[in-house]
Amino acid sequence: MATEVPLSGGAAGVRHYYAAVGNKEAKLATLLELLQTLQVVSRRPFAIICSARDTLDSVIFTLMRSRSFAVTAIHSDLTEKERELALTNFRRSAFETPAPAPNGASDATAASEKEGAPESEGAERGFAGGQEQQGAGEQPVCVLAITDVCLKALPKELLPLGLGVLVEFDLPPSKEVYTRRISTLFGGGRDRRSQRCVVVDMVEAGSIAAFRLLESFVAGQVQEVPVRVGDIFL
C-alpha cells in the first residue's frame, strides 16, 4: 500500500503511485489502459494534468478516440469566459446525478462506443479489473484535462474542484507546481483525508531525477500502481 503523506510534510491525506513506461508512445497507451480500468473500479471523476499544450492535445485525442470518457479540455486557446463555462459544466456533469436515459438510448450508445473504440496498442503492462464493459445506462466517467498554465488561471470562486483522483501525465517540475495541483483539485488537508485522494504519476524511462524530486515533494515513498488497480482505493 502506498504511503499516505503525513501532516508534517507534503500534501496530507494523499496517496501517491506511479506507472512506469518506456517511451512517449507507450505512455499514451498505458494511460488509456489505466483510465479504462479506473472507470471500472471507481466511478469517481478525475483530472489529468500536462505541462505543455502539445502534450495535452495528444492526451485529449487519445481519450476522445476511445469514446470511453466525457472529456472536458481546458487550454490556452479558450477565453477566460470559455474556461469558466467549461469548468462549470464539468462540475455539473461530475457531481450532479444525471437524469435516467430513455429506454434503449443507453444500449445504443454503448453499442456505438464498443463498435468505434480501438484497442490500446503498445502498453507495457496490464491492469486487472478493467475487462468489464461499461454497464447499460451508466454515464461515462468525467475527465478534466488541463495544463498547469490554465490550472493557475482558474477562477478562485470555483475552487477547489473537490476531485479524488489526479493523473499527472507530466511530473511536476517544482514544489510550487505540485502544491498548486493538489490544492486546486483536491482542496485542503481535511478534504483530502475524507475523500481518500489518489495521485498517479506517469514516469518515463530516464526520468529518475525528476521522480526523486517528486518524492521530496510528497515527503514519502511513491509506490508502483498495483496490478489490481482497485487496491489503490483501499
Side-chain angles (χ1 to χ4, degrees):
M1 180 176 292
T3 301
E4 183 168 318
V5 181
L7 284 169
S8 58
V14 178
R15 298 183 178 190
H16 281 265
Y17 298 86
Y18 74 90
V21 296
N23 52 51
K24 291 183 178 180
E25 290 72 22
K27 193 174 184 180
L28 284 169
T30 302
L31 172 70
L32 181 58
E33 184 178 0
L34 173 64
L35 297 189
Q36 288 174 332
T37 304
L38 280 175
Q39 77 166 346
V40 171
V41 300
S42 173
R43 304 296 300 172
R44 301 161 74 180
F46 52 87
I48 303 173
I49 291 190
C50 303
S51 296
R53 172 64 191 276
D54 290 346
T55 307
L56 182 73
D57 288 343
S58 297
V59 168
I60 293 171
F61 176 78
T62 299
L63 297 184
M64 296 294 288
R65 187 166 175 258
S66 75
R67 301 185 182 182
S68 300
F69 309 96
V71 182
T72 297
I74 298 183
H75 49 75
S76 55
D77 284 352
L78 300 178
T79 65
E80 182 178 349
K81 187 174 182 179
E82 288 172 333
R83 295 177 197 174
E84 182 175 347
L85 178 60
L87 188 60
T88 299
N89 289 338
F90 170 78
R91 289 170 62 94
R92 182 180 300 115
S93 300
F95 299 114
E96 293 183 5
T97 303
N103 291 337
S106 58
D107 291 340
T109 301
S112 174
E113 290 179 353
K114 183 176 180 181
E115 180 180 354
E119 296 182 355
S120 300
E121 298 179 356
E124 298 197 342
R125 60 171 296 180
F127 298 106
Q131 302 302 317
E132 298 89 344
Q133 294 293 326
Q134 183 173 300
E138 287 186 336
Q139 297 294 319
V141 170
C142 295
V143 180
L144 176 67
I146 189 170
T147 60
D148 283 308
V149 170
C150 291
L151 188 74
K152 185 177 181 180
L154 291 179
K156 299 298 187 292
E157 61 271 16
L158 295 179
L159 303 179
L161 294 182
L163 298 178
V165 182
L166 164 63
V167 177
E168 296 188 296
F169 192 79
D170 295 316
L171 296 178
S174 67
K175 187 171 184 178
E176 178 185 1
V177 171
Y178 165 77
T179 302
R180 182 184 303 117
R181 290 178 177 182
I182 297 299
S183 60
T184 300
L185 297 172
F186 294 157
R190 180 178 298 178
D191 298 324
R192 297 193 292 261
R193 287 190 294 272
S194 65
Q195 294 183 81
R196 302 178 70 87
C197 295
V198 172
V199 176
V200 178
D201 290 281
M202 308 294 295
V203 182
E204 293 181 42
S207 301
I208 298 300
F211 182 70
R212 295 306 178 203
L213 188 62
L214 171 68
E215 288 186 314
S216 71
F217 299 158
V218 305
Q221 187 176 8
V222 182
Q223 301 282 352
E224 186 173 12
V225 174
V227 173
R228 295 185 60 84
V229 176
D231 290 349
I232 68 178
F233 298 108
L234 297 179

